[in-house]
């Protein structure tokens, strides 16, 4: 059975909730692993047939922990995961576009294939207090995350990718 790997980082809970929603739907379709970015490594990427990367946007970039994941894994898997499908989700306070571009550029270097439109969930957190506060992602946004997980996992299970 094709395995889907969901790698995420979350400091205030938003990205974690998004990743968990995708995981909950995906595991009904195919074998799925949910791993925090600080514990994920090259072997996890090599074992999976497809990926969802989920990160918060911090200071107009992906979080440092997510960047560290990509830094640690980039060269060990380069040339070994080409063509595999991926999707991405970003939890942002206002924009999220730069974090999406950053992940997409890394995925392009790995020659991964985007198979779903990137998803940004905006929390509208603008003050230091709001930015640092624990997040609660609304159900309609979590439904979009579930759709992302379900669709990618179903595609893997059917051999579409």
């Amino acid at each position: 059975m094709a395995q889907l790997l969901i790698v995420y980082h979350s400091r205030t809970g938003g990205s974690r909730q998004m990743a968990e929603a995708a995981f909950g739907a995906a595991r009904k379709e195919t074998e799925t692993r949910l791993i925090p970015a600080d514990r994920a490594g090259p072997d996890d990427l090599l074992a999976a047939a497809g990926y969802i990367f989920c990160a918060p946007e911090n200071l107009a970039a992906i979080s440092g922990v997510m960047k560290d994941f990509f830094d640690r894994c980039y060269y060990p898997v380069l040339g070994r995961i080409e063509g595999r499908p991926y999707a991405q989700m970003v939890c942002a306070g206002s924009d999220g576009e730069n974090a999406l571009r950053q992940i997409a550029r890394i995925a392009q270097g790995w020659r991964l294939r985007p198979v779903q439109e990137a998803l940004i969930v905006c929390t509208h957190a603008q003050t230091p207090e709001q930015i640092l506060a624990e997040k609660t992602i609304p159900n309609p946004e979590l439904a979009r995350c579930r759709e992302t997980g379900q669709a990618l996992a179903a595609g893997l299970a059917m051999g579409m990718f």
Side-chain angles (χ1 to χ4, degrees), residues 6-111:
I6 302 173
V7 178
Y8 75 97
H9 174 249
S10 187
R11 195 169 273 137
T12 62
S15 298
R16 179 188 45 76
Q17 291 168 58
M18 293 169 63
E20 288 173 348
F23 173 73
R27 68 182 181 179
K28 295 174 184 173
E29 302 290 338
T30 195
E31 180 184 347
T32 306
R33 295 178 66 209
L34 176 68
I35 305 177
D38 62 344
R39 294 198 320 233
D43 289 341
D44 299 307
L45 287 163
L46 293 169
Y51 316 101
I52 296 175
F53 303 116
C54 181
E57 182 177 56
N58 297 140
L59 304 172
I62 58 174
S63 67
V65 173
M66 196 71 178
K67 176 68 167 63
D68 176 68
F69 158 74
F70 287 122
D71 288 343
R72 286 184 289 105
C73 296
Y74 190 82
Y75 291 109
V77 303
L78 187 62
R80 299 171 71 190
I81 60 173
E82 292 178 0
R84 295 182 190 183
Y86 84 98
Q88 60 175 318
M89 304 186 301
V90 168
C91 185
S94 60
D95 183 46
E97 292 292 333
N98 197 51
L100 288 182
R101 280 191 295 276
Q102 195 174 11
I103 294 170
R105 190 141 183 168
I106 293 164
Q108 181 181 21
W110 275 337
R111 306 296 189 263

Side-chain angles (χ1 to χ4, degrees), residues 114-127:
V115 295
Q116 291 182 265
E117 188 173 327
L119 174 62
I120 296 174
V121 171
C122 185
T123 65
H124 304 286
Q126 294 301 298
T127 67

